[in-house]
Amino acid sequence: MEAKLIERLEAAVARLESLSAGGISARGLPDGVDEVSSDPSILAFDDLMAQYAARVSAAAEKIGGQVLDVTKLVLEAFSVQKKLLIEIKQTQKPDMAGLVEFLKPLNEVILKVNAMTEGRRSDFFNHLKSAGDSLSALAWIAYTGKDCGMSMPIAHVEESWQMAEFYNNKVLVEYRNKDQIHVEWAKALKELYLPGLRDYVKSHYPLGPVWSASGKKASSAPPKAPPPGAPAPPPPPPASLFSSEPSQPSSSNPKQGMSAVFQEISSGNVSVGLKKVTADMKTKNRTDRTGVVSASGKETHSSSPSFSKAGPPKLELQMGRKWAVENQIGRKNLVIDDCDAK
């Protein structure tokens, strides 16, 4: 009995060794990528591409030219995102610099699309801008938590499409009565994101990508050492979408003129720099208050024609309630003896 048991154990060990030598796991799948590729979230991404991306591609094939070129880049960006999602399941969560390096392949594709909108304005400029602006939605994969400076993944996808929709609507209006293939392309591009990508993120990554706790570490770009004696070079600019440094707010630049006034008012610090009015400075509490009526600082010219028809001077209390002071030309020391607060 014991001999048979030992033989069975030896056979099992030999089989496991043979499977390990061939790079096959005990589940019958190759180690690493193939196993992760069967993950429900990855399979759902394939369904997303089959259902929505295929429509955009089919319409672009009929249009051709730059529209087809930019559509291929859009699909390439989605393909890169799928590869990154597979790697995330095998990689530990990196720091910000490591995350920028990790997402570099996706950012490079996005930069290619943005380059197509530069230079001489194309006849398909609205198509190119719609496709280029829409790719910022793929940056949801960079969400690492509430303090990362991004909206939640679902909200980020929706907000990103709102930027692209301005140009997408221009395509719809321009070709509504001219060429329905362009209209179909614009509608299919929108559905790729809403509801396509949005619903995918909502179902599988509402709180952002889930990194592996025990996977490999993400590699960071090694800094280049400056030559001996040379000053250290400034840090390179961050990637266009996935930056490791927060952007400086526009308020950091000092404003001048009325802009500074409105900024000060909006900040609520309108009393800064003003002197405080104490009780003894108020008119009702001043001890030096008198009934002396002073003339203006400038001398009045009696030769002015406006005073040639002046009436007789008047300084009297009328009806016991108000003083009438008229035509006192040139007199500076008029005194009213009977003063009352009323």
Side-chain angles (χ1 to χ4, degrees), residues 32-89:
V33 176
D34 287 350
E35 183 175 355
V36 176
S37 299
S38 62
D39 186 271
S41 63
I42 304 302
L43 295 177
F45 197 92
D46 291 335
D47 294 339
L48 164 69
M49 298 296 291
Q51 181 177 357
Y52 295 102
R55 286 188 55 200
V56 185
S57 179
E61 290 284 351
K62 297 177 183 179
I63 299 173
Q66 288 185 317
V67 177
L68 178 58
D69 294 339
V70 76
T71 302
K72 288 181 178 179
L73 288 175
V74 170
L75 301 185
E76 181 182 348
F78 272 81
S79 178
V80 171
Q81 177 151 107
K82 176 188 173 181
K83 294 178 182 178
L84 294 178
L85 289 174
I86 293 176
E87 291 186 30
I88 284 175
K89 293 183 177 297

Side-chain angles (χ1 to χ4, degrees), residues 12-225:
V13 171
R15 183 180 179 188
L16 289 174
E17 289 177 349
S18 64
L19 291 175
S20 178
I24 305 298
S25 66
R27 294 175 58 185
L29 295 172
D31 293 330
V33 176
D34 287 350
E35 183 175 355
V36 176
S37 299
S38 62
D39 186 271
S41 63
I42 304 302
L43 295 177
F45 197 92
D46 291 335
D47 294 339
L48 164 69
M49 298 296 291
Q51 181 177 357
Y52 295 102
R55 286 188 55 200
V56 185
S57 179
E61 290 284 351
K62 297 177 183 179
I63 299 173
Q66 288 185 317
V67 177
L68 178 58
D69 294 339
V70 76
T71 302
K72 288 181 178 179
L73 288 175
V74 170
L75 301 185
E76 181 182 348
F78 272 81
S79 178
V80 171
Q81 177 151 107
K82 176 188 173 181
K83 294 178 182 178
L84 294 178
L85 289 174
I86 293 176
E87 291 186 30
I88 284 175
K89 293 183 177 297
Q90 302 171 315
T91 308
Q92 297 181 25
K93 185 178 180 180
D95 57 12
M96 186 56 66
L99 181 62
V100 172
E101 183 67 20
F102 179 82
L103 298 173
K104 189 176 180 180
L106 178 58
N107 197 42
E108 289 176 349
V109 181
I110 295 175
L111 291 176
K112 290 180 184 178
V113 178
N114 291 337
M116 296 184 65
T117 63
E118 299 174 355
R120 184 177 179 181
R121 185 158 180 155
S122 166
D123 294 336
F124 302 106
F125 177 79
N126 293 327
H127 297 73
L128 302 179
K129 284 292 291 182
S130 178
D133 291 353
S134 71
L135 287 180
S136 62
L138 297 180
W140 71 266
I141 199 174
Y143 183 83
T144 56
K146 60 181 181 179
D147 297 328
C148 70
M150 291 178 56
S151 300
M152 296 282 287
I154 301 172
H156 176 81
V157 173
E158 294 175 343
E159 293 167 2
S160 298
W161 174 253
Q162 289 175 2
M163 295 189 301
E165 193 166 27
F166 174 79
Y167 295 98
N168 193 264
N169 287 340
K170 283 192 172 185
V171 176
L172 293 174
V173 172
E174 181 181 357
Y175 290 93
R176 180 173 52 193
N177 300 321
K178 190 172 17 177
D179 193 337
Q180 288 301 309
I181 298 299
H182 292 264
V183 174
E184 182 181 345
W185 179 88
K187 290 182 178 180
L189 182 67
K190 179 178 181 178
E191 291 176 359
L192 176 62
Y193 295 94
L194 303 180
L197 183 62
R198 179 195 60 193
D199 289 354
Y200 170 78
V201 173
K202 182 178 181 180
S203 300
H204 299 280
Y205 298 102
L207 302 178
V210 181
W211 299 82
S212 173
S214 58
K216 62 182 180 181
K217 292 185 178 180
S219 59
S220 299
K224 296 181 179 179

